[in-house]
Amino acid sequence: MIKCNNVQEQAHDLSGLIFERWREVFNAGEFVLGDEVPRFETWMSQRCAGAYAISMNSGTDALLLALKALGVGPGHHVITCSNTFVATVGAIVAVGAQPILADVGDDELINVDTIAPLLTTRTRAVIPVHLRGRPVDIDSIVALCNAHGVAVIEDCAQAIGTTINGRQVGTSSDASAFSLHPLKTLGGLGDGGVLVTTNPKIAEYARSARNHGLQVRDESVVFGMNSRLDSLQAAALNVKVEHLDHWLRRRKEIADFYNEALGETATGADLGKQRTGSSYYHYVVKSKKRDQLQRHLAEHDIQATIHYPIPVHRQRAWLNSQPATALPTTERLAQEILTIPCHQHLSDGDVEKIAWTVRQFDSR
Ligand SMILES: Cc1ncc(COP(=O)(O)O)c(C=O)c1O
């Protein structure tokens, strides 16, 4: 089976180097906030043009602490999209604010046209999601929000390597949240995340609150949480960062091939191919006969998955607690989208087979 992700291969290929680093962590006995953690944060900061990078336990916590740092809480509205991993909306609910879901364009991304009608005096923040590693039009979203005194937090969980004008996304807004979950293009061997910000106050709050506000061992300045990136995870990530650009180049090469091979087919090429700067975390095709296409690919030993089959406003968690919401484009796309494998462990033969199998379905 050609798989949609390469978690095992990625860990396995680098296991020798990772075990070597882990031995150093064992010897030092620094399992919590040891040297590997600031080393990773320095790398992330450099990647983000010198912004503050505060590692934590997950991308979800990075969203949560960004919201808290900006003072978002009960009585506030936060606008985001519904075609995202449930964590984006979960973080808003967790701080006691009301999520307001905007529809997306045909490119699956939230934009100023869908956000603007939802802005009210209660809106405190907007969380655009760089879904699939496709850059949203962040400059126009920030301009709109600035004009209304509304904060912007970028959900960069899927966007390591995503660029606008050649620069890593995540530094145009008040703060951004990256995930280091193993499935991500840069993932640990367990959970992890990073909050990135150019605002020193947000950075200071996040650094403190991720560790119960402890400035020194026994003195706390703010109530927070335990959301530290483990030293062992940081060590694994410090090995992986050396390979990231190579992986990103391979993903782009594969995506370019799909764009060329599938662009004229009924399924059509990636919905985001017109967006330069995509890091191709997911490569998505679209078909009115999506479920049949998925089965056809499975019959040819190709795994294709759906991200996400149930938009957040159709989840039971939403239906049980939030107002009914209609999002026509989001709902239509959820019926048509299919993620085909696009990662660095695919051979040229795999990629050709996938493209050929999609084309064969179209010509039936
Ligand atoms: C768009 C999006 N937002 C937030 C998250 C949450 O990140 P984490 O799993 O690291 O908490 C994810 C993770 O899959 C995601 O894809």
Side-chain angles (χ1 to χ4, degrees), residues 318-346:
W318 180 279
L319 299 172
N320 288 339
S321 63
Q322 306 293 329
T325 304
L327 301 166
T329 307
T330 301
E331 282 156 34
R332 174 173 54 79
L333 289 171
Q335 304 301 314
E336 297 177 0
I337 49 174
L338 188 64
T339 306
I340 58 174
C342 181
H343 56 77
Q344 59 272 17
H345 278 83
L346 299 174

